[in-house]
Amino acid sequence: MSTAFDLDAFLPYRLSVTSNLVSRLFARRYAEEFGLTIAEWRVIAVLGADGTATASAVRARTGMDKAKVSRAVAGLEARGLIRHVAHRGDRRLDPLALSAAGRRILDAIVPRARALEAELFATLPPGTREALEDALHAIARRATVMGAGPGDGPD
Amino acid sequence: MSTAFDLDAFLPYRLSVTSNLVSRLFARRYAEEFGLTIAEWRVIAVLGADGTATASAVRARTGMDKAKVSRAVAGLEARGLIRHVAHRGDRRLDPLALSAAGRRILDAIVPRARALEAELFATLPPGTREALEDALHAIARRATVMGAGPGDGPD
DNA sequence: GGAAGATGGTTTCAAGTGAAACCAATGTCA
DNA sequence: TGACATTGGTTTCACTTGAAACCATCTTCC
């Protein structure tokens, strides 16, 4: 006779299932309404918040893989949504910023994203959002300490 | 001037980042210690809890893709960790159960998984785990209502 | 100055993924 | 009975992914 184990109450599992569900939902909306992938939307959001950022700044901020950022940037550039900011000095760096078109897209997405998020919490007990956010931050920090770092290795 | 938008406080984003971090952490441990993928471990957990289950029962319980379950089952079978339960009647069904070796692995993993989960919450404010679990359940239900269902289409 | 190494970013490659096509067995309804 | 749809499960295919290899630039230190 084995130890009873309830997968449903196992947190890494619940976290993954819920996250995948939500990601799928949002990915579909972003794709339908704006033709953007999640990675691309993240890059736009970071550039919108920070004004200017290099690929590795985006990586540091979002935890996305190097290659993933590179591909998202290529996609956005192909559609003219970002521009390269001239940078005298270190020529390895390639600081990016939103183009006018990029900023227009950002301005269009932000309210939609907020509305979707609000809809997601509409029927839930008040305080859920805040509690969840705190818990997630704490967990993420802890997981990092425990050695989950994306790109553990060098480079 | 655009609306300020704080990606860090955007829940779908935080959820995804945290979930990926945790998944990576656990995936690494399962792989190192038991040579299992997360999908395989989930199948084992379901079979452990339910005794017997068909592939689509596993799919219904875990939300995993049809193909993913099929591949996980193939992997487990190749290693002799599950067995097919004879089923007179509907010959499309292929009920599965843990083999003796499979049960031994389950018995070995469960305490490790629990310990890892406990370690993840060790330094967090008490109540975090329960609050998080409730919130995640509620969000998952809500996302499903909003149309995030895996395998929306027929079949 | 110039090795040796670090850093930013792109590309390649093998593996994993989900959607759809597919196969086999049942169910349904005339 | 026999079309026709349904269901359980596997396989194929095109696409995505992350790790590692790579290229270019810059830094360090002799």
Side-chain angles (χ1 to χ4, degrees), chain B residues 68-153:
Chain B
K68 206 168 183 176
V69 174
S70 178
R71 293 188 263 247
V73 165
L76 292 172
E77 189 179 8
R79 298 174 48 197
L81 300 178
I82 58 181
R83 60 195 168 81
H84 297 264
V85 176
H87 180 85
R88 314 173 305 297
D90 194 330
R91 266 176 314 179
R92 289 168 305 182
L93 270 53
D94 183 14
L96 305 164
L98 292 177
S99 66
R103 186 151 291 279
R104 273 194 300 276
I105 283 231
L106 175 66
D107 288 342
I109 298 186
V110 165
R112 286 295 297 134
R114 286 207 170 106
L116 255 180
E117 191 196 34
E119 195 185 340
L120 191 59
F121 286 93
T123 63
L124 307 186
T128 303
R129 218 204 76 91
E130 292 69 20
L132 186 54
E133 194 183 322
D134 289 348
L136 290 176
H137 261 110
I139 296 276
R141 272 193 303 273
R142 181 68 178 151
T144 304
V145 169
M146 284 173 67
D152 249 354

Side-chain angles (χ1 to χ4, degrees), chain A residues 29-85:
Chain A
R29 304 290 182 102
Y30 292 146
E32 279 169 8
E33 299 180 24
F34 304 98
L36 291 177
T37 66
I38 289 199
E40 287 168 347
W41 148 239
R42 285 182 185 173
V43 171
I44 289 186
V46 169
L47 292 181
D50 294 2
T52 245
T54 62
S56 43
V58 173
R59 178 185 184 284
R61 213 122 139 39
T62 62
M64 284 196 289
D65 187 80
K66 222 177 171 186
K68 206 168 183 175
V69 174
S70 178
R71 292 188 265 247
V73 165
L76 292 172
E77 190 180 9
R79 298 175 49 196
L81 300 179
I82 59 181
R83 61 194 168 80
H84 297 262
V85 177

Side-chain angles (χ1 to χ4, degrees), chain A residues 116-136:
Chain A
L116 256 181
E117 191 196 34
E119 196 185 340
L120 191 59
F121 287 92
T123 64
L124 307 188
T128 303
R129 219 205 73 92
E130 293 69 19
L132 186 53
E133 195 183 321
D134 289 348
L136 290 175

Side-chain angles (χ1 to χ4, degrees), chain A residues 100-116:
Chain A
R103 186 150 293 278
R104 274 195 299 278
I105 283 230
L106 175 66
D107 287 342
I109 298 186
V110 164
R112 286 294 297 131
R114 285 207 171 106
L116 256 181

Side-chain angles (χ1 to χ4, degrees), chain B residues 14-30:
Chain B
R14 277 254 62 81
L15 192 54
S16 167
V17 169
T18 303
S19 172
N20 289 341
L21 233 39
V22 172
S23 282
R24 241 193 302 273
L25 177 64
F26 278 72
R28 184 150 30 193
R29 305 290 182 103
Y30 293 146

